[in-house]
Amino acid sequence: TQAKTLFPYTTLFRSPQGKKIAPHDHQGQDIFFSVVKGQVKATLNNSEEHTLSPGTLLHFGGEAFIGIEALVDSEFFVYLINL
């Protein structure tokens, strides 16, 4: 059996209050979303809302569509892991 190598991709976003990222997906990846400063609203599939603050972690499959809104000046990490 050959081991599968996972290639994580990490991005730090700095978003001013009111900044929005339009709904999009990440097919073939698992997503981890972690806020380190501020407060962010993440909406999955245009219906499931999560308000995230420092210390919270949101995990979801890349087939979900995610839209983001910074409720205040915010910083957050997005980790994309290939399946």
Side-chain angles (χ1 to χ4, degrees):
T1 305
Q2 184 175 359
K4 184 175 181 179
T5 303
L6 301 177
F7 294 98
Y9 179 77
T10 305
T11 303
L12 172 63
F13 289 88
R14 291 185 174 96
S15 295
Q17 181 177 3
K19 171 76 175 176
K20 294 182 180 182
I21 299 173
H24 60 284
D25 65 352
H26 295 278
Q27 292 289 326
Q29 297 176 311
D30 258 2
I31 315 302
F32 292 87
F33 190 100
S34 176
V35 175
V36 293
K37 177 183 172 188
Q39 190 173 48
V40 174
K41 180 171 71 172
T43 304
L44 297 177
N45 296 319
N46 295 315
S47 62
E48 183 182 330
E49 292 187 357
H50 300 271
T51 300
L52 305 169
S53 300
T56 59
L57 179 70
L58 178 63
H59 170 243
F60 56 95
E63 69 281 352
F65 279 80
I66 183 167
I68 305 296
E69 179 181 0
L71 301 176
V72 298
D73 292 349
S74 300
E75 295 181 7
F76 53 93
F77 284 99
V78 176
Y79 306 90
L80 308 174
I81 300 175
N82 293 337
L83 298 177

